[in-house]
């Protein structure tokens, strides 16, 4: 039987995997099925809470009630935002993700074991991703299949498999990583490709010795230069591969739209214009929608500033930044914070609305958990000035 610590990490891993599993079933079923979706989410929640029932404390319940109270207070102060609280995505946040955060994430003590716990789900992502990209008829589900959601669902497992490959130096895990990365990139969002590359660069740079860091930067620079110089030739070749004919990435690249922000650029301009007129106004959660005609800013910095106001919003952002800083430089396993930021919150820099998505709440509770464990790291004399390398982190 798994210990509670391993069980918590396994539950966290499956929580990340369920959205991808639902996407796979949706494609197989040729359409969404609300009954199966609800049964999967809440059936898993029920089983998870039963298995970890002994570790649930009064403090956990107080934390959960505190978050509900915060959301309720916002709703009472700004009743015009009621429709956003009653949306399906927000209901899932309040009834599924927040209990997982309060009763499971808060109790994780050894984050360095996450990459072992996530392995079964990572293998599952290869199977689901390969089926969706290579063995299904993508043209039949364009109306209800979200390529961006698929790509972000794949990202946690693609990055985790790269870490496993580097840790075990296994050709099998490298092959699985390549398959997963191919599925994510070929039929996915442009941003996830960027986040994956940035994660690998950060991983290799932080894991290298002083002299090797220079070589890492040079190698990535050469690769970037080669891709830039031969970009058109690479695209022409990729466009002739049958398996890539439906690739959104290739299609965007051929059309010259990889760097095109589209409507996001207009939203950013609108948000900046509105912030200049807000003064000390605090519109509250979802209050930004009314300021930009019902659309969210697609940027977590702008969204927080437009919801909390300029001064409180800056304080919230500084606190988030400080928790990230502590997780990287004042915690024994910095790779965990880098990983969580890349796979859970990075998307909200250019897409999504943070408050109504489970990934944000998972990230927030993970950061609070890691921030609370920083004292353990400080107890080890000298480690603040000489943090462990990434390889030491993933090997515990």
């Amino acid at each position: 039987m798994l210990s509670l610590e391993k069980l918590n990490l396994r539950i966290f891993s499956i929580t990340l995997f369920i959205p991808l599993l639902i996407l796979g079933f949706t494609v197989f079923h040729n359409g969404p099925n609300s009954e199966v979706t609800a049964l999967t989410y809440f059936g898993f929640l029920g089983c998870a809470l039963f298995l970890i029932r002994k570790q649930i404390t009064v403090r956990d319940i107080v934390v959960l009630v505190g978050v509900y109270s915060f959301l309720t207070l916002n709703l009472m102060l700004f009743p015009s935002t009621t429709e956003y609280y009653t949306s399906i995505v927000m209901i899932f946040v309040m009834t599924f993700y927040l209990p997982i955060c309060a009763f499971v994430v808060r109790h994780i003590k050894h984050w360095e074991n996450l990459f072992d716990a996530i392995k079964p789900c990572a293998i599952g992502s290869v199977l689901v991703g390969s089926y969706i990209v290579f063995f299904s008829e993508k043209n039949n589900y364009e109306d209800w299949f979200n390529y961006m959601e698929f790509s972000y669902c794949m990202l946690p497992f693609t990055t985790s498999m790269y870490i496993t490959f580097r840790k075990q130096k296994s050709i099998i895990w490298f092959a699985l990583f390549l398959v997963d990365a191919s599925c994510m990139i070929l039929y996915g969002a442009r941003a996830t490709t960027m986040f994956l590359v940035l994660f690998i660069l950060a991983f290799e740079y932080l894991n290298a010795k002083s002299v090797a860091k220079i070589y890492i930067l040079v190698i990535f620079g050469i690769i970037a230069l080669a891709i830039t110089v031969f970009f058109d030739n690479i695209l022409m070749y990729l466009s002739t591969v049958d398996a890539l004919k439906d690739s959104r990435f290739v299609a965007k690249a051929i059309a010259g739209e990889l760097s095109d922000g589209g409507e996001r650029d207009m939203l950013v301009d609108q948000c900046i214009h509105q912030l200049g007129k807000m003064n000390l106004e605090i519109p509250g959660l979802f209050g930004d929608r009314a300021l930009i005609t019902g659309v969210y800013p697609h940027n977590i910095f702008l969204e927080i500033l437009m919801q909390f106001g300029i001064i409180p919003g800056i304080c919230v952002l500084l606190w988030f930044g400080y928790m990230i800083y502590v997780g990287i430089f004042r915690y024994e396993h910095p790779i965990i914070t880098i990983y969580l930021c890349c796979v859970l919150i990075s998307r909200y820099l250019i897409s999504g609305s943070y408050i109504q998505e489970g990934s944000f709440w998972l990230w927030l509770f993970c950061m609070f958990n890691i921030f609370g464990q920083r004292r353990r790291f400080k107890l080890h004399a000298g480690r603040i000035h000489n943090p462990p390398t990434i390889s030491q982190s993933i090997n515990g």
Side-chain angles (χ1 to χ4, degrees), residues 84 87 89-90 93 286 289 296 353-358 361:
Y84 300 106
S87 65
V89 288
M90 196 62 191
V93 164
F286 300 112
R289 270 56 163 180
Y296 52 85
S353 176
Y354 76 102
I355 201 70
Q356 62 181 22
E357 297 194 25
W361 291 100

Side-chain angles (χ1 to χ4, degrees), residues 17 77 102 117 143 180 192 195 264 283 319 392:
F17 181 69
L77 292 174
D143 292 337
D180 229 36
T192 51
F195 295 141
R264 291 190 185 97
W319 176 247
Q392 290 172 330

Side-chain angles (χ1 to χ4, degrees), residues 40-327:
T40 302
Y41 273 97
F42 296 109
F44 170 72
L45 176 64
C47 292
L49 294 183
F50 175 79
L51 292 172
I52 53 92
R53 64 191 183 280
K54 294 182 179 180
Q55 75 177 9
I56 297 176
T57 65
V58 174
R59 180 175 294 184
D60 298 331
I61 297 174
V62 170
V63 168
L64 183 60
V65 172
V67 177
Y68 287 153
S69 299
F70 171 72
L71 297 174
T72 302
L73 179 62
N74 271 270
L75 179 58
M76 294 172 61
L77 292 174
F78 308 98
S80 61
T81 60
T82 300
E83 62 177 300
Y84 300 106
Y85 287 91
T86 56
S87 65
I88 294 297
V89 288
M90 196 62 191
I91 289 173
F92 267 94
V93 164
M94 292 188 289
T95 59
F96 177 79
Y97 284 101
L98 286 178
I100 291 289
C101 290
F103 300 139
V104 177
V105 175
R106 277 175 39 80
H107 289 272
I108 296 175
K109 295 182 176 63
H110 298 283
W111 284 101
E112 67 274 16
N113 297 324
L114 173 62
F115 303 115
D116 287 328
I118 207 172
K119 285 179 183 177
C121 294
I123 295 174
S125 74
V126 176
L127 300 175
V128 176
S130 298
Y131 168 71
I132 292 175
V133 175
F134 299 113
F135 301 102
S136 64
E137 296 294 332
K138 287 180 280 294
N139 293 331
N140 293 339
Y141 53 81
E142 288 182 348
D143 292 337
W144 42 260
F145 180 80
N146 191 316
Y147 77 92
M148 187 176 295
E149 290 301 321
F150 167 73
S151 192
Y152 281 109
C153 285
M154 293 288 291
L155 184 59
F157 309 105
T158 306
T159 49
S160 70
M161 279 192 287
Y162 184 82
I163 293 176
T164 302
F165 151 65
R166 293 290 281 111
K167 178 181 177 180
Q168 298 186 356
K169 296 180 174 58
S170 166
I171 190 65
I172 295 177
W173 281 103
F174 180 64
L176 292 174
F177 162 75
L178 289 180
V179 174
D180 229 36
S182 298
C183 293
M184 189 190 76
I185 294 171
L186 297 180
Y187 195 72
R190 294 162 287 173
T192 51
T193 303
M194 177 184 69
F195 295 141
L196 175 62
V197 172
L198 289 177
F199 175 81
I200 294 175
L201 176 59
F203 177 90
E204 295 298 341
Y205 180 80
L206 294 174
N207 195 38
K209 296 181 180 179
S210 299
V211 177
K213 292 182 187 294
I214 299 176
Y215 294 114
I216 294 294
L217 295 177
V218 170
I219 291 172
F220 272 86
I222 293 174
I223 293 174
L225 179 62
I227 292 176
T228 302
V229 173
F230 300 104
F231 191 66
D232 292 338
N233 303 81
I234 295 172
L235 285 181
M236 292 302 297
Y237 170 73
L238 292 178
S239 63
T240 63
V241 179
D242 290 338
L244 308 183
K245 63 181 180 180
D246 294 319
S247 169
R248 183 176 176 84
F249 183 87
V250 174
K252 282 282 186 181
I254 292 176
E257 299 176 354
L258 276 182
S259 59
D260 181 17
E263 294 182 358
R264 291 190 185 97
D265 296 334
M266 292 187 292
L267 290 173
V268 169
D269 292 338
Q270 290 182 30
C271 291
I272 294 175
H273 178 69
Q274 289 294 335
L275 286 171
K277 301 189 303 180
M278 282 179 60
N279 296 321
L280 298 178
E281 179 186 358
I282 300 178
L285 298 181
F286 300 112
D288 55 301
R289 270 56 163 180
L291 300 177
I292 49 175
T293 62
V295 182
Y296 52 85
H298 287 72
N299 180 283
I300 189 171
F301 297 109
L302 294 175
E303 192 169 1
I304 288 176
L305 290 175
M306 293 183 69
Q307 292 179 353
F308 289 87
I310 301 297
I311 296 177
I314 289 175
C315 293
V316 171
L317 292 174
L318 288 176
W319 176 247
F320 285 177
Y322 182 60
M323 285 197 297
I324 293 173
Y325 168 80
V326 168

